[in-house]
Amino acid sequence: MEVLFYIVPTLMIAVVSCAVVAVIRRSVRVSRAWNSGLTAEARCLRTYTTTSGGGDSSVRTTLHHVYEFTTRDGRGVRFEEPGGPGTTLEGDIVTVHYPADRPEQATARPPARGRLAVGTGCLLAFLGTFILFALGFMAVTYAMFSAVGESPLP
């Protein structure tokens, strides 16, 4: 039964570690698009919202945009980006930034490197604190089971 006090926090650490990887990948993807220096005029083809939560938790609504643009070499690219501005409507023309080798990883967000760094850093600090809390919980659990004299691990 005591092993649950190790399995559950370990699973939580694994899930949060996946979130850390996702946050870093997103930050690198957006940063690469901004740093590439390549821009294009894109048309917003569609906007839609998704909702999550409900019941006992709060409802969260995310606005998505679908954009289409042509790269410098004439290739047509369509991509979707969540969390865009509510002022961009279907048919609007926006400037997108994209890396030459992966234009489907474009972004319509205007360059804001400081904001990206601060947002990523704060999110990573929060997730890191969560991991440290889980590790601390496991250490305290081990100490408590050791003090009682039970074998905490099989």
Side-chain angles (χ1 to χ4, degrees):
M1 183 65 171
E2 295 85 18
V3 77
L4 286 177
F5 288 102
Y6 302 103
I7 292 176
V8 172
T10 301
L11 290 175
M12 292 169 65
I13 289 170
V15 169
V16 170
S17 296
C18 289
V20 165
V21 169
V23 166
I24 291 171
R25 278 186 171 174
R26 180 196 59 134
S27 179
V28 167
R29 181 184 60 81
V30 171
S31 183
R32 282 188 66 225
W34 287 340
N35 292 335
S36 72
L38 297 174
T39 61
E41 296 298 311
R43 179 176 300 278
C44 179
L45 300 177
R46 181 172 178 233
T47 61
Y48 66 95
T49 58
T50 57
T51 56
S52 59
D56 292 339
S57 64
S58 62
V59 175
R60 180 179 171 177
T61 303
T62 304
L63 179 63
H64 298 260
H65 293 91
V66 178
Y67 298 104
E68 185 174 56
F69 68 98
T70 303
T71 63
R72 288 187 181 178
D73 59 1
R75 188 171 129 201
V77 177
R78 184 178 291 187
F79 73 98
E80 177 182 331
E81 187 169 49
T87 56
T88 302
L89 305 173
E90 290 181 22
D92 286 354
I93 304 294
V94 297
T95 300
V96 295
H97 300 264
Y98 66 95
D101 56 338
R102 294 187 179 200
E104 64 279 354
Q105 292 184 351
T107 182
R109 292 185 174 100
R113 290 167 181 80
R115 185 175 183 192
L116 179 65
V118 169
T120 301
C122 288
L123 198 50
L124 290 176
F126 172 76
L127 295 173
T129 301
F130 185 88
I131 290 172
L132 288 176
F133 176 78
L135 290 172
F137 175 82
M138 290 172 36
V140 168
T141 301
Y142 179 80
M144 288 175 52
F145 285 130
S146 295
V148 174
E150 296 182 18
S151 174
L153 297 174

